[in-house]
Amino acid sequence: MATTKYWKVWLTPNLLTKDIDNDYIAEVSTSKQTLRNEDIAQRIVDEGSEIKYDTLLSIINQHDRIIREAVCDGYSVLTGVAQFSPRVTGNWLGKSANFDPSTNKLTLDMVLSKEMRDALATVGVEVLGVKEGGGAGIGLVTNTLDGNTDGYITPGEDILIEGTKIKIAGDEEMCGVFFVLRGAETETVRKVDRRLTQNNPSSIIARVPADLEPGEYILRIVTQFSNSAVLLKEPRTLEYEQPLFVS
């Protein structure tokens, strides 16, 4: 099948192989706007559908709701994009153990459908080069509760942020770790007010606010850190290119 689409990627240092200087990973450039159900409905209309936009949007939202309800009922659901299967994480001590919210979490396994795999087979990759930016940047975010790096974070639990020159230093009011809610009419920003468990140039451990509402977030770091003893005159803002999700 001929390649018809391209993902543009930047090369960034592989933080998991710190002893190898010439090891990189590909970071997909995600500067495009995140598509939502409203955008999908509009695309269907633009393709010539005779169904009105409002009706389409209602059907799409209903489709999502039915999937959520089915999964919550314990079903595995297969769509044209992915298969969603319920899973419970954490250890269970003893045969009579009960669910413990402090150690066990409800989540989903998501596996690409055949249609999605076939679609990806048509996608090529264009390497844009090594990502610039003075060497400062966020490379990887890990949910320390389950060790996953899929973007899902847990309120009240820690995340491990790995990168380069990310240490929080400087003006205490302006600098810090922030969660920016995507899709809000006005920018909704939540700063981590708990003391950072770890605050190093290459790694930060920060506690996700326990009452962070469900949604899609941008992780933002603002810092005046530099490799010298002199702080930057102006704070530097770094944002993780992958969205973070609270469900």
Side-chain angles (χ1 to χ4, degrees):
M1 186 177 295
T3 297
T4 59
K5 300 179 184 295
Y6 284 88
W7 284 356
K8 296 184 178 182
V9 302
W10 292 102
L11 299 182
T12 61
N14 187 353
L15 297 173
L16 299 181
T17 56
K18 299 179 176 63
D19 296 333
I20 304 177
D21 294 332
N22 198 33
D23 188 18
Y24 294 87
I25 58 174
E27 182 179 300
V28 179
S29 178
T30 54
S31 57
K32 296 180 180 179
Q33 178 185 359
T34 298
L35 294 182
R36 303 181 183 277
N37 283 350
E38 291 81 0
D39 304 297
I40 295 172
Q42 187 59 54
R43 286 194 173 198
I44 295 175
V45 171
D46 294 342
E47 287 185 355
S49 174
E50 296 181 358
I51 303 175
K52 292 183 178 179
Y53 169 84
D54 290 341
T55 303
L56 280 169
L57 182 57
S58 176
I59 293 172
I60 294 172
N61 288 334
Q62 187 177 29
H63 167 271
D64 288 351
R65 177 181 57 78
I66 290 174
I67 290 177
R68 290 194 299 268
E69 291 177 352
V71 169
C72 288
D73 285 335
Y75 287 93
S76 175
V77 178
L78 176 62
T79 71
V81 176
Q83 181 169 3
F84 305 86
S85 301
R87 181 165 63 93
V88 181
T89 65
N91 295 326
W92 299 69
L93 298 178
K95 296 181 179 179
S96 60
N98 294 318
F99 178 83
D100 183 355
S102 65
T103 57
N104 305 123
K105 300 294 179 183
L106 303 181
T107 187
L108 297 176
D109 286 327
M110 287 177 279
V111 180
L112 298 182
S113 67
K114 181 182 183 301
E115 294 88 343
M116 190 73 253
R117 294 196 303 271
D118 290 343
L120 289 177
T122 70
V123 178
V125 174
E126 178 184 348
V127 179
L128 300 174
V130 177
K131 191 172 183 180
E132 300 296 334
I138 302 171
L140 187 68
V141 175
T142 303
N143 185 341
T144 62
L145 178 67
D146 53 22
N148 288 336
T149 57
D150 56 5
Y152 284 87
I153 57 177
T154 307
E157 299 291 341
D158 290 339
I159 56 172
L160 170 62
I161 308 167
E162 296 178 278
T164 305
K165 299 181 183 178
I166 61 175
K167 180 178 180 178
I168 305 302
D171 188 299
E172 292 186 1
E173 293 296 324
M174 298 181 61
C175 298
V177 178
F178 302 85
F179 295 95
V180 184
L181 181 63
R182 278 183 162 179
E185 293 183 1
T186 58
E187 188 173 75
T188 302
V189 181
R190 183 69 182 276
K191 183 178 182 179
V192 173
D193 52 12
R194 184 180 185 272
R195 182 181 62 84
L196 299 174
T197 304
Q198 187 176 108
N199 186 25
N200 297 323
S202 61
S203 62
I204 293 173
I205 295 179
R207 179 67 52 86
V208 180
D211 57 350
L212 197 65
E213 65 179 277
E216 180 179 329
Y217 289 85
I218 299 169
L219 176 68
R220 177 181 295 167
I221 286 178
V222 181
T223 180
Q224 292 175 261
F225 173 78
S226 70
N227 282 336
S228 68
V230 180
L231 295 176
L232 298 175
K233 292 183 179 180
E234 298 293 334
R236 171 195 287 134
T237 298
L238 307 171
E239 291 187 349
Y240 189 39
E241 288 207 356
Q242 305 302 320
L244 300 180
F245 303 95
V246 173
S247 57

